[in-house]
Amino acid sequence: MSKVILVTGGSSGIGQSIATLLADKGNIVYAASRNVVNQFDGNLRMLRMDVTDESSIISAIAFIQANHGLLDALINNAGLGMAGPLENTTETEAKEIFDTNVFGVLNVCRACIPLLRISKGRILNVTSIGGIFALPFRGIYCSSKFAVEGISESLSMELAPMGIKVSIVEPGDFKTNINTNRKKVASVDHTHYPTFDATLVQINQEVSGAMETDIIAHAVERILRKRNPHLRYRVATATQHFSVWLYRLLPGRWFEKLIMNHYKLR
Ligand SMILES: NC(=O)c1ccc[n+]([C@@H]2O[C@H](COP(=O)([O-])OP(=O)(O)OC[C@H]3O[C@@H](n4cnc5c(N)ncnc54)[C@H](OP(=O)(O)O)[C@@H]3O)[C@@H](O)[C@H]2O)c1
């Protein structure tokens, strides 16, 4: 049966693939982001919405409510990458990432939960493997994803009695526009962080050589069809699954050494 689904960050990368696949499967999908023109024909609809702007969220959700009366699924996918040494990151730079990646999720949930209650719907929050263990020069990004992991666990328990099921989707690296859109700390102290530029090159290479987004779109479509979905789904390569396994198994300093060697920090 056709569902009404909202995908934030649906204009690019992972969100665009998810929105396109779900619309191809017969659902009415609102792909929301800041830089789109509203377009409401067909199954795949573009909805202008900034997850950091409460008034823009309220008017976008009011439109869905007026047209459908409910929402079956919310996929919180909009997000920004961030690279830079923590010492050189200003509060303003850090807040921009948290405003989008953390408060954006909370803002959209707050607006959508009343509509999801009607359908006993679903919430999928897209975090990252970087939301399980942190990486050098991505402390702000990783901590924003750690926060969404925690929010999702609480939300899941709070909403379960109402019949709303919450799941977390943890992607490994996927080939998207995240490299281009990633924020960089404006003022990097290269004397004390001489490896930063090389690490950034390595991060960009890892994403540009990564998996295609149709893999995660199909995974999300399968998760939405499950009657009793798990709390967590990791969509990643075997190596990335193995790294999470090592993180859980090894003493913290040993795992840290592996990551530092990987990024040539020692
Ligand atoms: N690609 C990866 O390797 C990877 C790995 C792990 C996790 N992730 C996560 O997957 C999600 C999608 O990332 P992606 O790789 O597909 O990146 P992307 O290609 O850069 O897409 C990001 C999307 O988010 C939207 N967006 C950004 N700020 C927004 C805001 N304030 N309000 C509404 N929409 C906003 C962008 O559209 P506008 O600019 O038009 O607003 C765009 O549609 C993110 O949460 C990211 O952290 C990605």
Side-chain angles (χ1 to χ4, degrees), residues 200-215:
L200 189 54
V201 169
Q202 193 174 341
I203 293 168
N204 286 337
Q205 282 168 351
E206 283 170 0
V207 169
S208 53
M211 292 176 282
E212 299 291 344
T213 52
D214 60 316
I215 294 172

PDB file of all heavy atoms in Angstrom, residues 200-215:
ATOM      1  N   LEU A 200      42.782  14.899   5.251  1.00  0.00           N
ATOM      2  CA  LEU A 200      41.590  15.350   4.512  1.00  0.00           C
ATOM      3  C   LEU A 200      41.576  14.750   3.097  1.00  0.00           C
ATOM      4  O   LEU A 200      40.530  14.310   2.615  1.00  0.00           O
ATOM      5  CB  LEU A 200      41.563  16.890   4.455  1.00  0.00           C
ATOM      6  CG  LEU A 200      40.289  17.510   3.906  1.00  0.00           C
ATOM      7  CD1 LEU A 200      39.041  17.021   4.640  1.00  0.00           C
ATOM      8  CD2 LEU A 200      40.362  19.040   3.976  1.00  0.00           C
ATOM      9  N   VAL A 201      42.748  14.689   2.480  1.00  0.00           N
ATOM     10  CA  VAL A 201      42.840  14.055   1.154  1.00  0.00           C
ATOM     11  C   VAL A 201      42.397  12.594   1.260  1.00  0.00           C
ATOM     12  O   VAL A 201      41.620  12.094   0.431  1.00  0.00           O
ATOM     13  CB  VAL A 201      44.284  14.155   0.587  1.00  0.00           C
ATOM     14  CG1 VAL A 201      44.455  13.275  -0.643  1.00  0.00           C
ATOM     15  CG2 VAL A 201      44.634  15.606   0.276  1.00  0.00           C
ATOM     16  N   GLN A 202      42.883  11.918   2.307  1.00  0.00           N
ATOM     17  CA  GLN A 202      42.541  10.493   2.504  1.00  0.00           C
ATOM     18  C   GLN A 202      41.032  10.319   2.733  1.00  0.00           C
ATOM     19  O   GLN A 202      40.408   9.415   2.161  1.00  0.00           O
ATOM     20  CB  GLN A 202      43.338   9.949   3.694  1.00  0.00           C
ATOM     21  CG  GLN A 202      43.299   8.440   3.801  1.00  0.00           C
ATOM     22  CD  GLN A 202      44.211   7.914   4.913  1.00  0.00           C
ATOM     23  OE1 GLN A 202      45.125   8.609   5.370  1.00  0.00           O
ATOM     24  NE2 GLN A 202      43.955   6.699   5.345  1.00  0.00           N
ATOM     25  N   ILE A 203      40.430  11.202   3.553  1.00  0.00           N
ATOM     26  CA  ILE A 203      38.986  11.133   3.811  1.00  0.00           C
ATOM     27  C   ILE A 203      38.228  11.290   2.485  1.00  0.00           C
ATOM     28  O   ILE A 203      37.311  10.529   2.165  1.00  0.00           O
ATOM     29  CB  ILE A 203      38.542  12.248   4.808  1.00  0.00           C
ATOM     30  CG1 ILE A 203      39.133  12.009   6.201  1.00  0.00           C
ATOM     31  CG2 ILE A 203      37.020  12.357   4.877  1.00  0.00           C
ATOM     32  CD1 ILE A 203      38.986  13.201   7.162  1.00  0.00           C
ATOM     33  N   ASN A 204      38.636  12.284   1.696  1.00  0.00           N
ATOM     34  CA  ASN A 204      37.950  12.534   0.413  1.00  0.00           C
ATOM     35  C   ASN A 204      38.088  11.334  -0.525  1.00  0.00           C
ATOM     36  O   ASN A 204      37.134  10.960  -1.207  1.00  0.00           O
ATOM     37  CB  ASN A 204      38.512  13.791  -0.259  1.00  0.00           C
ATOM     38  CG  ASN A 204      38.035  15.060   0.434  1.00  0.00           C
ATOM     39  OD1 ASN A 204      37.000  15.057   1.099  1.00  0.00           O
ATOM     40  ND2 ASN A 204      38.784  16.133   0.299  1.00  0.00           N
ATOM     41  N   GLN A 205      39.292  10.732  -0.529  1.00  0.00           N
ATOM     42  CA  GLN A 205      39.504   9.553  -1.397  1.00  0.00           C
ATOM     43  C   GLN A 205      38.627   8.391  -0.955  1.00  0.00           C
ATOM     44  O   GLN A 205      38.062   7.672  -1.776  1.00  0.00           O
ATOM     45  CB  GLN A 205      40.978   9.136  -1.383  1.00  0.00           C
ATOM     46  CG  GLN A 205      41.848  10.009  -2.256  1.00  0.00           C
ATOM     47  CD  GLN A 205      43.347   9.776  -2.016  1.00  0.00           C
ATOM     48  OE1 GLN A 205      43.736   9.082  -1.072  1.00  0.00           O
ATOM     49  NE2 GLN A 205      44.167  10.377  -2.861  1.00  0.00           N
ATOM     50  N   GLU A 206      38.518   8.218   0.378  1.00  0.00           N
ATOM     51  CA  GLU A 206      37.715   7.092   0.890  1.00  0.00           C
ATOM     52  C   GLU A 206      36.255   7.243   0.464  1.00  0.00           C
ATOM     53  O   GLU A 206      35.608   6.266   0.107  1.00  0.00           O
ATOM     54  CB  GLU A 206      37.841   7.011   2.424  1.00  0.00           C
ATOM     55  CG  GLU A 206      39.167   6.396   2.837  1.00  0.00           C
ATOM     56  CD  GLU A 206      39.490   6.485   4.331  1.00  0.00           C
ATOM     57  OE1 GLU A 206      38.677   7.030   5.095  1.00  0.00           O
ATOM     58  OE2 GLU A 206      40.565   6.024   4.721  1.00  0.00           O
ATOM     59  N   VAL A 207      35.745   8.489   0.473  1.00  0.00           N
ATOM     60  CA  VAL A 207      34.341   8.701   0.091  1.00  0.00           C
ATOM     61  C   VAL A 207      34.186   8.594  -1.433  1.00  0.00           C
ATOM     62  O   VAL A 207      33.240   7.968  -1.916  1.00  0.00           O
ATOM     63  CB  VAL A 207      33.825  10.064   0.615  1.00  0.00           C
ATOM     64  CG1 VAL A 207      32.478  10.400   0.005  1.00  0.00           C
ATOM     65  CG2 VAL A 207      33.709  10.019   2.135  1.00  0.00           C
ATOM     66  N   SER A 208      35.138   9.160  -2.194  1.00  0.00           N
ATOM     67  CA  SER A 208      34.945   9.142  -3.658  1.00  0.00           C
ATOM     68  C   SER A 208      35.110   7.736  -4.234  1.00  0.00           C
ATOM     69  O   SER A 208      34.574   7.442  -5.302  1.00  0.00           O
ATOM     70  CB  SER A 208      35.848  10.156  -4.355  1.00  0.00           C
ATOM     71  OG  SER A 208      37.165   9.953  -3.971  1.00  0.00           O
ATOM     72  N   GLY A 209      35.810   6.850  -3.504  1.00  0.00           N
ATOM     73  CA  GLY A 209      35.936   5.471  -3.986  1.00  0.00           C
ATOM     74  C   GLY A 209      34.977   4.522  -3.290  1.00  0.00           C
ATOM     75  O   GLY A 209      35.165   3.303  -3.329  1.00  0.00           O
ATOM     76  N   ALA A 210      33.964   5.082  -2.655  1.00  0.00           N
ATOM     77  CA  ALA A 210      33.105   4.260  -1.786  1.00  0.00           C
ATOM     78  C   ALA A 210      31.931   3.632  -2.542  1.00  0.00           C
ATOM     79  O   ALA A 210      31.839   3.706  -3.762  1.00  0.00           O
ATOM     80  CB  ALA A 210      32.592   5.130  -0.636  1.00  0.00           C
ATOM     81  N   MET A 211      31.020   3.034  -1.756  1.00  0.00           N
ATOM     82  CA  MET A 211      29.864   2.321  -2.334  1.00  0.00           C
ATOM     83  C   MET A 211      28.889   3.299  -2.989  1.00  0.00           C
ATOM     84  O   MET A 211      28.815   4.468  -2.612  1.00  0.00           O
ATOM     85  CB  MET A 211      29.110   1.579  -1.217  1.00  0.00           C
ATOM     86  CG  MET A 211      29.869   0.435  -0.617  1.00  0.00           C
ATOM     87  SD  MET A 211      28.945  -0.307   0.764  1.00  0.00           S
ATOM     88  CE  MET A 211      29.251   0.878   2.071  1.00  0.00           C
ATOM     89  N   GLU A 212      28.106   2.758  -3.926  1.00  0.00           N
ATOM     90  CA  GLU A 212      27.053   3.551  -4.578  1.00  0.00           C
ATOM     91  C   GLU A 212      25.840   3.610  -3.642  1.00  0.00           C
ATOM     92  O   GLU A 212      25.551   2.650  -2.913  1.00  0.00           O
ATOM     93  CB  GLU A 212      26.637   2.902  -5.908  1.00  0.00           C
ATOM     94  CG  GLU A 212      27.765   2.780  -6.938  1.00  0.00           C
ATOM     95  CD  GLU A 212      28.213   4.126  -7.508  1.00  0.00           C
ATOM     96  OE1 GLU A 212      27.470   5.117  -7.354  1.00  0.00           O
ATOM     97  OE2 GLU A 212      29.320   4.166  -8.085  1.00  0.00           O
ATOM     98  N   THR A 213      25.095   4.706  -3.729  1.00  0.00           N
ATOM     99  CA  THR A 213      24.012   4.943  -2.763  1.00  0.00           C
ATOM    100  C   THR A 213      22.780   4.050  -2.969  1.00  0.00           C
ATOM    101  O   THR A 213      21.941   3.964  -2.074  1.00  0.00           O
ATOM    102  CB  THR A 213      23.558   6.416  -2.808  1.00  0.00           C
ATOM    103  OG1 THR A 213      23.276   6.741  -4.167  1.00  0.00           O
ATOM    104  CG2 THR A 213      24.627   7.334  -2.264  1.00  0.00           C
ATOM    105  N   ASP A 214      22.685   3.397  -4.131  1.00  0.00           N
ATOM    106  CA  ASP A 214      21.505   2.521  -4.308  1.00  0.00           C
ATOM    107  C   ASP A 214      21.531   1.368  -3.289  1.00  0.00           C
ATOM    108  O   ASP A 214      20.484   0.850  -2.901  1.00  0.00           O
ATOM    109  CB  ASP A 214      21.405   1.989  -5.748  1.00  0.00           C
ATOM    110  CG  ASP A 214      22.614   1.173  -6.129  1.00  0.00           C
ATOM    111  OD1 ASP A 214      23.733   1.611  -5.822  1.00  0.00           O
ATOM    112  OD2 ASP A 214      22.456   0.089  -6.702  1.00  0.00           O
ATOM    113  N   ILE A 215      22.737   1.011  -2.797  1.00  0.00           N
ATOM    114  CA  ILE A 215      22.839  -0.065  -1.792  1.00  0.00           C
ATOM    115  C   ILE A 215      22.107   0.333  -0.512  1.00  0.00           C
ATOM    116  O   ILE A 215      21.302  -0.443   0.029  1.00  0.00           O
ATOM    117  CB  ILE A 215      24.336  -0.366  -1.490  1.00  0.00           C
ATOM    118  CG1 ILE A 215      25.003  -0.960  -2.734  1.00  0.00           C
ATOM    119  CG2 ILE A 215      24.497  -1.284  -0.278  1.00  0.00           C
ATOM    120  CD1 ILE A 215      26.503  -1.116  -2.620  1.00  0.00           C
TER     121      ILE A 215
END
